[in-house]
Amino acid sequence: MKLNDNWKIRQFDVGAARDLEVASPEYIDYFWMTTKVPGDVHSTLIEHKLIDAPFYGHNDLKCQWVEEKVWWYRSTFEFHADISQEDRYELIFDGLDTFATVYLNGIELGSTENMFISHTFEVTRELRHGKNVLAVKFDPVHIHVKDKVQYYWSGFSKKRIWTRKAQSHYGWDWGPRLVTAGIWKDVHLEKRTAAKIDAVFAKTTFISADQARVAIELEIEKFHSNKSFEVQVSLVDSDNAVTVTAHQKIVGKSTVMNLEVPAPKLWWTHDIGTPHLYQLQVVLFADGIQIDCRSEDFGIRTIEVMQTDEKGNHRFTFVLNGVKIFAKGANWIPIDSFIGAVPDSRYQHLIGMAKDANMNMLRVWGGGIYEREVFYHECNRLGILVWQDFMFACALYPDYNRNFMANVRAEIIQIVKRLRNQPCLAIWCGNNENDWLYEALAASGEIPHPFYGEKIYHELMPELLAELDPTRLFWPSSPFGGNDHNSREQGDTHNWQVWHGNIEPRKFGEPQRVDYSVAGLSFKNFKNDTTLFASEFGMHASSNRYTLERNIPKEQFFWGSEEMAYRNKDIHHPKGILLMEGYTGVPQNLDEYIAYSMLTQAEGLKFGIEHYRRNKPHTSGTLVWQLNDCWPGTSWSVIDYYLLPKAAYHYARKFYSPILLTADHEPGEKIAIWVVNDRLSAYKDEIELAVYHYNGEKVFSKTWSVLVEANVSKQIDIVVETEALGGLNPTEAVMVLRSKNHQVYENMYYFRDQKDLSLGCAELTVKVNKAAGELTITTNVLARMVTIELDMEQLIIEDNFFDLLAYESKTIKVSQAQGKEIPWGTLRVSALNSTGIFKFGDETNESSGVTRR
């Protein structure tokens, strides 16, 4: 039974209350405030209007007192079952954040110090017939870390390294410091009789067209040994027909069973196949009576990482069911600063957005959390692979401390057992950037200490993974491999030359040098990257206007204000200006900042990712930093906090398309035409390169009949720039690479950077069909970055931030994730070069209009 109801909370100053008194069933909590479980203290205080919305203005600073207090949770539940000698009751907290002490009916059951794992207490004797009282005390973090060493390297906070808690709660370069506490996952009371299923490990050991073999390792915890135990294991297909079932007696505490699955349906990523799921059902019997069961998703598939190819060249290529794939995706940070209060629907929508952007991999970054069950369920269902970091990031960790290491060991064991059956899980990774940054900063003289944490990633984790999950690669860190852990010759890399200005390559022992200049930070540097797998890279862009307006005081809503700067937690603010200076020019007002930053991010990611994809198979993956935001700020995300896409998200649907038509071109150089085919079948088509004046005049066209084999990148031809321009000035021309048969997305390129283009003044005609939920946009000259805005979160706009050729029209469908009514009255449509902004209702006929000043 779940015990998520009837919870209340109250704060105390440290030392102000006696623990046993507050935990006592007789303690009067009548006037405590109600709270939701799962949830957290901050969300409760927001709901009761006891703190101002932390994301608005500087309000996060106003509520930092919350982390200094002791917080108590109390609840009651009724229990009326008869307890036999064979019964055992377990009280299970799936997630306690973080330093908690648990009481049942005034009896202290134990303390916890790890947010990431569940905590189980045997309470058979402590249960009472009738009313039972649960109490949980949460200590502030500072009590437990104030006497710990806090002087060695740790980004953003020195205290965080001692706490097995989401490290980003202490602040990061994309989010505020909001140190949460509370019951952030479900609470259960479970009855056990004689024994329970302790662990299940199901793995595909063989696949052919006719048959697959699945090995299932079971661990049973017995409370009474004088019984005969038997287990039944079934794989059930989606139509609820039992595919295969096996029975086996259990003599000891563990057993291994093998299932032969005829005509198996495999789990694939969505871009190359169907992510078929079976239900794995395990039932435990004692003397013929069912006493426990477990059911979960299972996919028949194999996954490995190929690190050398057939010729002995270094590679870092994921191989799914024997097929080499190109990983296309992004890094996932915590979905919110207040994770426990987030509904499953938000996860479902955001992961669905990743799929719709043609992403086939998400990296769960190592400074957040091991994600909630809904995350992995959606990735399983939608066919998205998961790169899973362990939760260590950008710091030295006290691996010399026995208590800390015991805590970490328990965490690793539980997390691996919890996640290893997920078909989406592709790789285990020890940490985020610790190996690379330690060596680089030590070489630069900034870290004088030993590599604390090394024993975790290079001794403890590989030892445990070899035992608990040998089916996946364990990768010690990201990035890792080669001479410099961020080497382009081996392993995966983080490209922070773009944005941070890191000068690459470097080698072990060399200091990390930085070039803060327009050229040093430019996204054009992606072109020089020969990485095998780019697991982090990106650049900032503003959130959408609606997101900013909801969280910045009106009097501060202008470019250059203190509040605008506060949205950006990366302290080196000139980086974004330098990037824009090189491509769009420096913005002069808020409108330009929003548009210029979004366009620079979108075009920059397109430039880099198309380069990486053309370099297939040498390069085998790109994971953008980052997919999402935990608050409404300015960051590297391509989707802002209210799940409103930035321009780069809509670009991603095209540059991550399984079949990509791409042009490799630099100003004044030849144009190389490429086709990248990630599909498992050949691509046959007729493609065209067309060049237009902004007024719509077509000055050049060349077509090719192409047959591109499955799963390759192929150069088709080279076109001389002067020939393609057809006499036009390169600042007045646009090229379009398209499928004549409309099989794939068309791709548009400009011959020069945005700041150098001589765009005309576009008049946008907009017609709205509210009944159909769509609008149609037409322009008289090329419209650059047509932007559709509506004042609502979680909007689903079919396409946005697109370029529209002269005299072409485009119809866009608009909906909202929860089915809410679209606020058409707030509609605004504009382009970088439009003569004004179309606002719904400007015209006499509210269904149509022309942009005007």
Side-chain angles (χ1 to χ4, degrees):
M1 61 187 282
K2 280 189 177 181
L3 302 179
N4 290 349
D5 298 329
N6 306 317
W7 287 94
K8 298 178 178 181
I9 64 169
R10 183 190 161 185
Q11 75 196 57
F12 293 85
D13 291 331
V14 175
R18 294 180 62 248
D19 291 354
L20 290 179
E21 180 181 333
V22 181
S24 168
E26 288 73 38
Y27 187 87
I28 298 174
D29 59 13
Y30 186 81
F31 293 106
W32 286 27
M33 73 184 96
T34 58
T35 189
K36 292 184 175 69
V37 170
D40 60 82
V41 169
H42 284 83
S43 298
T44 304
L45 297 176
I46 294 168
E47 184 175 358
H48 287 275
K49 302 188 186 312
L50 294 174
I51 58 174
D52 295 329
F55 296 158
Y56 184 85
H58 280 58
N59 285 351
D60 58 307
L61 300 179
K62 291 166 61 177
C63 67
Q64 288 191 355
W65 61 268
V66 176
E67 68 177 86
E68 302 296 322
K69 301 294 184 179
V70 174
W71 292 94
W72 277 86
Y73 278 63
R74 280 175 57 97
S75 178
T76 62
F77 65 93
E78 294 289 324
F79 180 81
H80 297 286
D82 293 328
I83 303 175
S84 73
Q85 287 187 337
E86 294 181 346
D87 294 338
R88 171 174 171 172
Y89 281 85
E90 293 180 340
L91 177 64
I92 304 167
F93 290 86
D94 289 340
L96 294 170
D97 180 12
T98 294
F99 294 101
T101 306
V102 178
Y103 300 83
L104 177 60
N105 297 321
I107 296 173
E108 181 180 335
L109 301 178
S111 296
T112 73
E113 54 180 357
N114 195 314
M115 172 188 183
F116 302 129
I117 62 178
S118 66
H119 303 278
T120 300
F121 305 92
E122 202 268 297
V123 295
T124 312
R125 296 176 301 172
E126 288 64 53
L127 284 170
R128 297 179 179 177
H129 279 271
K131 180 181 176 181
N132 288 260
V133 178
L134 261 178
V136 185
K137 174 194 176 189
F138 290 93
D139 288 333
V141 168
H142 70 83
I143 289 180
H144 293 268
V145 301
K146 63 182 179 180
D147 297 324
K148 302 294 187 183
V149 172
Q150 294 174 20
Y151 60 81
Y152 45 71
W153 172 65
S154 173
F156 312 105
S157 166
K158 301 295 185 184
K159 295 179 180 179
R160 68 179 175 87
I161 61 173
W162 290 94
T163 63
R164 296 312 298 145
K165 171 178 177 58
Q167 302 288 273
S168 56
H169 281 170
Y170 298 86
W172 219 263
D173 56 5
W174 37 256
R177 178 189 176 99
L178 288 162
V179 181
T180 58
I183 303 174
W184 74 284
K185 287 188 174 183
D186 291 330
V187 185
H188 311 263
L189 181 67
E190 299 290 345
K191 177 184 177 181
R192 313 295 189 186
T193 302
K196 69 174 181 179
I197 301 168
D198 193 49
V200 178
F201 184 20
K203 50 191 175 182
T204 304
T205 58
F206 172 79
I207 294 176
S208 71
D210 301 324
Q211 188 182 71
R213 284 197 291 271
V214 178
I216 300 161
E217 300 175 8
L218 300 171
E219 295 178 31
I220 309 300
E221 183 177 349
K222 299 178 181 179
F223 314 134
H224 297 276
S225 57
N226 59 344
K227 292 183 176 293
S228 173
F229 294 98
E230 184 180 10
V231 68
Q232 173 185 294
V233 176
S234 303
L235 271 184
V236 181
D237 209 344
S238 54
D239 58 3
N240 289 323
V242 176
T243 302
V244 60
T245 300
H247 297 79
Q248 189 162 304
K249 291 190 177 297
I250 301 176
V251 178
K253 294 183 177 181
S254 62
T255 189
V256 178
M257 304 174 69
N258 290 287
L259 299 179
E260 305 280 344
V261 185
K265 302 172 185 176
L266 304 187
W267 187 92
W268 293 95
T269 52
H270 67 89
D271 53 330
I272 56 175
T274 300
H276 189 83
L277 291 174
Y278 294 83
Q279 277 293 303
L280 174 66
Q281 298 178 354
V282 181
V283 183
L284 179 64
F285 299 89
D287 291 342
I289 299 172
Q290 179 178 329
I291 58 170
D292 200 3
C293 64
R294 186 177 294 191
S295 179
E296 57 188 84
D297 290 340
F298 182 74
I300 296 178
R301 64 103 182 94
T302 58
I303 188 77
E304 60 182 311
V305 180
M306 182 182 76
Q307 296 186 59
T308 55
D309 66 14
E310 296 80 2
K311 298 179 180 178
N313 300 311
H314 290 299
R315 291 284 186 269
F316 199 87
T317 305
F318 285 85
V319 182
L320 178 64
N321 299 327
V323 173
K324 301 170 189 174
I325 67 170
F326 192 101
K328 303 181 289 285
N331 285 259
W332 172 282
I333 66 166
I335 198 167
D336 201 289
S337 293
F338 310 120
I339 306 162
V342 176
D344 284 357
S345 61
R346 184 175 175 88
Y347 275 91
Q348 291 160 350
H349 182 47
L350 184 51
I351 297 170
M353 291 177 74
K355 175 183 179 290
D356 292 342
N358 289 306
M359 296 183 185
N360 64 11
M361 180 177 283
L362 294 174
R363 175 185 174 223
V364 179
W365 168 76
I369 61 170
Y370 307 99
E371 271 299 345
R372 286 166 39 178
E373 295 303 319
V374 62
F375 174 88
Y376 302 100
H377 175 77
E378 289 301 296
C379 289
N380 290 339
R381 186 178 67 86
L382 296 177
I384 298 174
L385 289 168
V386 172
W387 173 307
Q388 180 66 59
D389 281 6
F390 287 97
M391 295 300 119
F392 301 87
C394 301
L396 300 179
Y397 287 88
D399 60 2
Y400 51 81
N401 183 280
R402 185 177 67 176
N403 295 342
F404 181 83
M405 289 296 280
N407 194 5
V408 169
R409 172 182 282 271
E411 172 187 320
I412 296 167
I413 291 172
Q414 188 178 128
I415 293 300
V416 173
K417 286 184 175 182
R418 175 190 152 211
L419 298 181
R420 62 189 176 182
N421 288 340
Q422 305 288 355
C424 63
L425 190 63
I427 187 173
W428 297 102
C429 179
N431 68 73
N432 174 73
E433 297 188 342
N434 291 353
D435 290 63
W436 168 47
L437 290 181
Y438 174 78
E439 195 281 324
L441 294 175
S444 300
E446 297 179 44
I447 298 180
H449 307 102
F451 184 15
Y452 293 130
E454 184 177 26
K455 291 181 180 179
I456 300 173
Y457 333 120
H458 295 277
E459 295 179 19
L460 180 61
M461 286 179 180
E463 169 196 330
L464 292 176
L465 266 297
E467 173 189 350
L468 298 173
D469 185 11
T471 69
R472 296 174 177 90
L473 175 67
F474 169 70
W475 196 239
S477 182
S478 179
F480 191 78
N483 187 357
D484 175 18
H485 292 305
N486 206 17
S487 163
R488 268 54 184 171
E489 281 73 46
Q490 286 181 254
D492 71 313
T493 63
H494 293 184
N495 185 329
W496 290 119
Q497 181 172 13
V498 178
W499 183 261
H500 287 308
N502 290 353
I503 296 176
E504 305 287 356
R506 65 175 288 277
K507 296 187 182 299
F508 288 139
E510 296 178 353
Q512 179 66 68
R513 296 175 296 130
V514 175
D515 179 5
Y516 284 133
S517 68
V518 171
L521 274 65
S522 170
F523 64 69
K524 302 292 180 67
N525 289 305
F526 282 133
K527 194 71 168 294
N528 304 317
D529 192 354
T530 58
T531 183
L532 305 181
F533 192 104
S535 49
E536 273 193 29
F537 61 99
M539 59 207 78
H540 272 199
S542 171
S543 290
N544 286 272
R545 174 183 294 274
Y546 170 77
T547 302
L548 296 175
E549 283 182 330
R550 285 187 65 177
N551 294 283
I552 296 176
K554 188 174 182 180
E555 66 275 10
Q556 285 280 304
F557 195 66
F558 60 89
W559 175 234
S561 73
E562 181 182 355
E563 289 288 354
M564 278 298 300
Y566 196 66
R567 296 291 106 188
N568 182 355
K569 297 304 182 185
D570 184 357
I571 61 174
H572 299 289
H573 289 189
K575 296 172 186 174
I577 302 298
L578 290 169
L579 264 168
M580 289 184 284
E581 182 179 346
Y583 184 68
T584 60
V586 176
Q588 300 301 311
N589 54 53
L590 184 58
D591 289 338
E592 287 189 351
Y593 165 67
I594 294 173
Y596 287 8
S597 64
M598 281 202 189
L599 184 62
T600 300
Q601 182 194 49
E603 291 285 352
L605 292 178
K606 173 184 175 181
F607 184 90
I609 287 169
E610 290 193 359
H611 158 71
Y612 290 136
R613 292 191 66 187
R614 289 191 297 265
N615 215 22
K616 171 182 175 171
H618 178 85
T619 301
S620 294
T622 57
L623 304 180
V624 171
W625 184 267
Q626 61 205 65
L627 180 71
N628 58 308
D629 272 330
C630 71
W631 82 308
T634 296
S635 78
W636 295 264
S637 73
V638 298
I639 302 170
D640 76 21
Y641 175 72
Y642 294 120
L643 305 193
L644 296 175
K646 301 178 184 180
Y649 172 83
H650 288 284
Y651 273 51
R653 287 188 298 106
K654 301 164 188 175
F655 62 59
Y656 271 158
S657 175
I659 299 174
L660 172 70
L661 309 182
T662 170
D664 181 6
H665 173 248
E666 294 290 331
E669 302 295 328
K670 295 177 180 178
I671 306 163
I673 308 300
W674 288 72
V675 175
V676 182
N677 180 14
D678 288 347
R679 298 281 194 201
L680 302 187
S681 57
Y683 167 63
K684 184 178 182 180
D685 202 357
E686 185 177 8
I687 64 174
E688 176 193 26
L689 176 68
V691 177
Y692 297 87
H693 188 277
Y694 299 151
N695 64 12
E697 179 189 0
K698 189 174 187 179
V699 300
F700 175 83
S701 173
K702 187 172 183 178
T703 61
W704 298 267
S705 294
V706 297
L707 179 61
V708 180
E709 312 90 275
N711 208 11
V712 300
S713 174
K714 185 175 183 179
Q715 182 173 313
I716 303 302
D717 201 357
I718 291 177
V719 177
V720 176
E721 184 188 82
T722 53
E723 178 187 359
L725 284 168
L728 290 182
N729 187 306
T731 66
E732 299 176 342
V734 60
M735 67 177 102
V736 182
L737 189 56
R738 59 166 66 103
S739 161
K740 297 283 281 185
N741 300 306
H742 308 290
Q743 292 190 44
V744 297
Y745 289 112
E746 67 178 26
N747 211 341
M748 298 179 72
Y749 299 88
Y750 294 85
F751 289 85
R752 298 296 183 264
D753 291 337
Q754 175 64 30
K755 60 184 172 57
D756 301 319
L757 301 183
S758 302
L759 296 170
C761 293
E763 290 189 358
L764 301 180
T765 301
V766 182
K767 294 185 178 181
V768 178
N769 185 335
K770 292 196 292 184
E774 61 186 30
L775 63 156
T776 300
I777 304 170
T778 308
T779 180
N780 62 327
V781 300
L782 179 137
R784 181 71 160 126
M785 195 182 178
V786 176
T787 302
I788 303 165
E789 297 176 283
L790 287 152
D791 291 347
M792 177 173 277
E793 61 184 68
Q794 298 195 38
L795 282 170
I796 303 171
I797 301 179
E798 187 178 29
D799 198 6
N800 205 355
F801 308 103
F802 54 84
D803 294 354
L804 192 61
L805 295 176
Y807 303 108
E808 289 195 355
S809 66
K810 187 163 188 169
T811 298
I812 307 295
K813 291 190 176 297
V814 180
S815 60
Q816 202 273 343
Q818 281 84 42
K820 296 178 181 178
E821 185 176 347
I822 302 300
W824 290 110
T826 65
L827 174 67
R828 301 177 301 279
V829 181
S830 62
L832 278 181
N833 60 319
S834 63
T835 55
I837 300 174
F838 166 81
K839 295 181 180 179
F840 189 82
D842 273 356
E843 303 300 316
T844 303
N845 176 2
E846 288 193 345
S847 67
S848 66
V850 178
T851 58
R852 61 184 186 185
R853 292 191 183 280

